[in-house]
Amino acid sequence: MPLSRRAALRLIAALPLALAAVPAAARETLTFAELYGKVGVLGLEFSEKVKRLAGERIAMLGFMAPPLKAEAQFFVLTSVPMALCPFCSSDADWPDNIVVVYLGKKQTFVQPSQVIEVTGKLEYGSWTDPETGFLSLLRLRDATYRTV
Amino acid sequence: MRRFFAALAAATALCGTAHAATVYPLDRATILVNSPFDFKVELDSVVSPKDLKVTVNGASYADALGGSAQFVPEETDKKGKVLGSALILRGVTLAKPGKYTVAVKAGGETRSVAWDVYATAAQPKAKNIIFFLGDGLSVAHRTAARIMSRGMTEGKANGRLYMDDLDRMAFIGTSSTGSIATDSANTMSAYMTGHKSAVNALGVYADRTPPSQDDPKVETIAEALRRATKKSIGVVTTSEVEDATPAAVVSHTRRRADKADIVGMFYGVKPEVLMGGGSAYFLAKGIPGSKRKDGKDYIKLFKDAGYALTTSAAELEKAPASGKLLGLYHTGNMDVALDRLFLKKDTVKTFPDQPGLVEMTQAALDRLSKNPEGFFLMVEGASIDKMSHPMDWERAIVDTIEFDKAIGAARAFVKTHPDTLIVVTGDHTHGISVIGTIDDDKPGTEMREKVGIYDGAGFPNYEDKNHDLYPDRVDVSRRLAIFAADFPDHYETFRPKMDGSFSPTIKNEKGDYVANEAYKNVPGAVLRIGNIPKFESTAVHAVDDVVLQASGPGAEAFKGYMEESDVYRVLADVFALGK
């Protein structure tokens, strides 16, 4: 797990150049660095930008983590390609700075090293997926994605 | 995740078929007198209770074990398949030491196991025990830490690690009940309960039923201390406090990933000092960053139970000098010493004021030693392992140096508290070896030509000008050449990872771990095709023995080859827990 967490949080320092590119669409964009206003031992605070954009369709760049379950209707969008540790046996071991993407309709899987742009309706706050029990803080609903 | 469940299913299936019936505790179990344990018999077939005969030393089990067991007509796997009948009796205690032979007969199934129930010395040998657990600590970590920290001239070390001068030594076998290979859960659990168990299991024998918290329990050292003494308990780690090693001091679960429940198990035992990372599992669901799925607010619960909470090194320094202490310094695992002290990579910018293992150990000793009855303190150097998995050798070795400095703090404490046993050991090893040096000034363009071997290795050129025992830089021109015996596909860069910890693989759509191309363009990097299954993301644990060292009263019991479960017996004897 430290690998995944660290690898993911490291994005802030080592943002791949590709991610710096501005998404083509004119809609609002959000980066992984902009998700939280404060990260502390006693909890996180969503950023003002997340609160402002909630409910709107926005675009984010990131990487698709391999589906948690083949049948799941969602995938996890991460800031860097993810490698999970040998004992990451639950969704709880994902880092905080992930966004869960619920697709409007099924799309083909892309390689984990491929940068994708996801567009969807932003939603924030703790939410447990009723089917899988997957706990998420940030979601993109009714989403679509394309490779960049 | 699916692999975990597959492994669990396979393990439980094997338990059922290897013998006609399975009895927990297993054959050759060593059991401390008066320590509660759960007794379970698993049969391969469905039988009627009247056809099941269980005796202990020839007498009826109910008389011998002090109670009538629950008969389960049919146990099932997670798909509902019937596995056979079972008999369960929880909370058995045996007051009389000696050999106990349990014989089971049910239709065509028979099984006989023998337990060694042991008493201890009547008088404690030491008042305090400090148990240092270097997660994954292998011989090469020690050698590399000594050379990197103290240097070497003409073949002789220029200085000694603190652990180098402990008096006694033993080779420790780390294997699990289901496999020669092992993980940090069952290994630490064996040290902390005296019972070996299966990979991923803590404080339980691994039975065949799917739920993770119904498995036959054994007593943890923390529970034994609460039952038999008035000593204080401390748990200090650089990982999440719910991670397998610290969890093993208090926990009972088949599944080390039950981290939210493990916080509750800590709360049940209430160690006087609990320090490390992993605050996310203390926060009530709904607080962003919480990893709980219930509304329990363990920050509040611990505070209400009288704990002082500290969340940074500065707060730790100002914390009350006595009383119960909860230190949570990271939502997840704490950053490693190389990042915290030098490189400021990984999550150091997010959590800029994390205390180190030495400060946490000292803070724990200051508080625990105020109990006139004594204490048990477990200190874990967690990231020796966590950085050896991804083969980030510099981070693993600098953390070994930090771990050793914490041992130094304990040895200074012992000077004024000689009635203290110090134990230093690992839970399992890694396939790590130091084979020479990597010398950037050797001729050639291929990095392998710069690997100094035999006489060509010479000595590394690390420096420690400020005498803090850490190398001033790890990216020196002639550095240690450290390699792994086992590895996934990855790019070998022959260099320290100065921009953040090494992430050797990423997962593809087939679920295979492939080399992380982020390192492909590091000058000199070469692709290493792995020699372990593609479903594994990092280098794995080795089966090699661990070296245990100890000093202080009772340390003489550590010698020769011992099983991890035998180490508990020494700890119990030193504290006279079975007098």
Side-chain angles (χ1 to χ4, degrees):
Chain A
M1 178 193 48
L3 309 185
S4 57
R5 176 189 310 281
R6 286 159 202 283
L9 290 179
R10 201 186 309 145
L11 160 85
I12 297 155
L15 196 70
L17 278 180
L19 293 194
V22 178
R27 65 180 61 87
E28 287 263 24
T29 63
L30 189 64
T31 69
F32 280 95
E34 295 170 337
L35 300 180
Y36 299 103
K38 183 176 150 264
V39 180
V41 166
L42 298 180
L44 321 173
E45 278 172 24
F46 294 104
S47 66
E48 289 306 315
K49 186 168 182 184
V50 162
K51 291 176 190 168
R52 178 168 60 81
L53 295 177
E56 289 184 35
R57 285 191 75 78
I58 60 130
M60 277 193 83
L61 292 170
F63 297 89
M64 179 189 287
L68 192 72
K69 289 181 179 168
E71 68 274 22
Q73 288 299 307
F74 64 83
F75 69 86
V76 173
L77 188 71
T78 61
S79 57
V80 294
M82 286 290 268
L84 296 177
C85 78
F87 293 105
C88 286
S89 47
S90 74
D91 53 298
D93 285 330
W94 290 85
D96 295 318
N97 65 339
I98 59 169
V99 174
V100 175
V101 177
Y102 285 87
L103 293 169
K105 60 176 199 287
K106 274 197 172 171
Q107 287 183 262
T108 52
F109 184 84
V110 298
Q111 287 298 314
S113 54
Q114 170 70 52
V115 178
I116 58 172
E117 186 200 51
V118 182
T119 305
K121 194 172 83 172
L122 180 66
E123 188 181 281
Y124 73 91
S126 257
W127 190 75
T128 307
D129 185 86
E131 270 182 54
T132 61
F134 195 94
L135 180 72
S136 59
L137 292 176
L138 289 152
R139 292 160 297 281
L140 289 173
R141 296 274 185 186
D142 215 7
T144 59
Y145 63 83
R146 63 181 184 88
T147 58
V148 176
Chain B
M1 175 157 88
R2 284 192 295 276
R3 187 157 47 79
F4 165 81
F5 287 114
L8 178 54
T12 51
L14 281 174
C15 290
T17 52
H19 301 288
T22 306
V23 177
Y24 302 106
L26 294 171
D27 192 30
R28 296 190 290 161
T30 52
I31 304 173
L32 174 67
V33 287
N34 295 321
S35 79
F37 64 90
D38 294 347
F39 171 66
K40 184 176 183 192
V41 178
E42 288 181 345
L43 300 169
D44 272 0
S45 49
V46 173
V47 300
S48 158
K50 67 178 167 48
D51 296 330
L52 173 61
K53 192 181 175 204
V54 180
T55 61
V56 177
N57 289 345
S60 114
Y61 82 86
D63 292 343
L65 303 183
S68 186
Q70 179 202 356
F71 180 79
V72 183
E74 292 184 356
E75 287 193 329
T76 54
D77 68 11
K78 64 177 176 180
K79 288 179 182 157
K81 184 180 162 232
V82 175
L83 302 168
S85 302
L87 194 69
I88 305 167
L89 179 57
R90 301 203 183 266
V92 174
T93 56
L94 297 171
K96 210 175 132 204
K99 187 181 174 190
Y100 287 70
T101 301
V102 182
V104 175
K105 189 168 183 343
E109 293 186 51
T110 58
R111 179 80 177 132
S112 176
V113 305
W115 303 331
D116 173 13
V117 176
Y118 62 91
T120 64
Q123 291 302 319
K125 295 181 173 69
K127 181 172 148 188
N128 314 309
I129 296 176
I130 310 173
F131 192 92
F132 281 97
L133 192 290
D135 204 309
L137 184 67
S138 313
V139 168
H141 292 113
R142 297 168 183 250
T143 308
R146 191 183 304 110
I147 294 173
M148 199 185 270
S149 170
R150 308 312 202 262
M152 178 174 274
T153 307
E154 294 172 342
K156 292 185 179 177
N158 295 342
R160 301 168 71 85
L161 298 174
Y162 292 108
M163 66 176 104
D164 286 336
D165 290 320
L166 297 173
D167 297 329
R168 306 285 176 159
M169 197 176 263
F171 268 53
I172 304 294
T174 67
S175 296
S176 63
T177 53
S179 163
I180 57 170
T182 205
D183 84 321
S184 292
N186 72 87
T187 51
M188 186 59 168
S189 183
Y191 281 140
M192 295 291 107
T193 68
H195 295 262
K196 287 209 164 189
S197 191
V199 169
N200 290 332
L202 295 165
V204 293
Y205 280 98
D207 75 5
R208 64 187 175 183
T209 58
S212 64
Q213 291 176 32
D214 73 340
D215 298 56
K217 291 187 175 74
V218 291
E219 188 182 44
T220 65
I221 193 165
E223 291 164 334
L225 291 167
R226 289 292 188 243
R227 177 175 58 77
T229 78
K230 291 183 177 132
K231 292 183 189 297
S232 293
I233 298 167
V235 176
V236 171
T237 181
T238 50
S239 71
E240 298 175 304
V241 298
E242 311 84 10
D243 203 13
T245 303
V249 181
V250 301
S251 302
H252 303 281
T253 172
R254 173 66 182 89
R255 192 171 163 266
R256 56 184 280 175
D258 289 348
K259 292 181 185 175
D261 296 333
I262 287 167
V263 173
M265 296 176 199
F266 272 115
Y267 183 72
V269 171
K270 295 189 183 66
E272 280 72 10
V273 172
L274 179 57
M275 284 194 276
S279 65
Y281 293 95
F282 284 69
L283 306 175
K285 178 188 176 179
I287 297 174
S290 165
K291 292 188 187 282
R292 297 196 68 81
K293 292 181 180 177
D294 60 30
K296 285 188 181 153
D297 178 354
Y298 276 100
I299 297 287
K300 182 173 187 308
L301 285 167
F302 272 93
K303 277 183 174 174
D304 289 350
Y307 282 79
L309 172 70
T310 65
T311 62
S312 64
E315 287 179 18
L316 176 60
E317 207 160 294
K318 284 184 240 145
S322 59
K324 290 184 277 191
L325 179 67
L326 176 64
L328 295 171
Y329 307 111
H330 200 292
T331 49
N333 292 308
M334 293 172 68
D335 283 291
V336 300
L338 183 61
D339 290 310
R340 263 189 291 107
L341 301 172
F342 300 97
L343 303 179
K344 309 296 178 191
K345 299 296 184 186
D346 284 8
T347 60
V348 171
K349 286 194 168 68
T350 308
F351 298 97
D353 191 27
Q354 304 165 57
L357 192 63
V358 183
E359 297 83 70
M360 291 196 289
T361 302
Q362 191 61 55
L365 289 172
D366 291 346
R367 285 159 181 83
L368 297 171
S369 60
K370 293 203 162 73
N371 183 348
E373 299 283 334
F375 65 85
F376 173 81
L377 170 61
M378 193 290 292
V379 178
E380 184 198 19
S383 292
I384 300 168
D385 170 79
K386 291 188 191 302
M387 288 296 140
S388 294
H389 274 293
M391 303 171 288
D392 194 320
W393 307 122
E394 281 74 13
R395 282 179 173 76
I397 302 311
V398 172
D399 258 43
T400 308
I401 296 170
E402 184 186 47
F403 177 66
D404 187 63
K405 288 180 70 162
I407 295 164
R411 289 189 54 204
F413 172 84
V414 165
K415 285 192 181 135
T416 52
H417 300 75
D419 45 0
T420 303
L421 170 67
I422 296 183
V423 179
V424 176
T425 190
D427 50 353
H428 57 75
T429 49
H430 277 271
I432 169 179
S433 271
V434 181
I435 61 109
T437 59
I438 296 166
D439 186 347
D440 290 335
D441 297 326
K442 280 197 193 307
T445 50
E446 278 189 84
M447 284 305 289
R448 64 187 293 179
E449 302 305 333
K450 297 175 187 292
V451 176
I453 56 173
Y454 296 115
D455 208 33
F459 299 96
N461 56 355
Y462 301 105
E463 290 184 310
D464 178 18
K465 286 185 182 154
N466 63 357
H467 304 294
D468 63 356
L469 303 179
Y470 294 110
D472 299 337
R473 285 171 50 207
V474 292
D475 58 336
V476 294
S477 64
R478 196 165 57 252
R479 53 199 174 266
L480 288 175
I482 304 175
F483 294 110
D486 60 282
F487 43 85
D489 288 8
H490 68 286
Y491 285 93
E492 171 61 70
T493 69
F494 300 89
R495 298 171 202 280
K497 307 300 183 288
M498 305 301 280
D499 297 327
S501 55
F502 190 24
S503 191
T505 59
I506 57 172
K507 202 178 197 178
N508 71 12
E509 77 281 8
K510 288 182 272 181
D512 291 341
Y513 283 94
V514 296
N516 187 349
E517 304 231 322
Y519 302 92
K520 188 178 179 178
N521 296 323
V522 174
V526 290
L527 178 64
R528 287 262 179 275
I529 299 300
N531 60 3
I532 54 175
K534 291 176 187 166
F535 61 67
E536 184 50 69
S537 61
T538 66
V540 299
H541 300 164
V543 181
D544 306 354
D545 291 347
V546 156
V547 177
L548 176 150
Q549 290 174 273
S551 269
E556 63 280 0
F558 294 113
K559 56 190 168 187
Y561 173 82
M562 301 172 76
E563 301 291 349
E564 277 174 334
S565 44
D566 300 332
V567 171
Y568 181 75
R569 190 165 177 164
V570 177
L571 304 181
D573 197 57
V574 164
F575 274 167
L577 295 179
K579 63 180 178 227

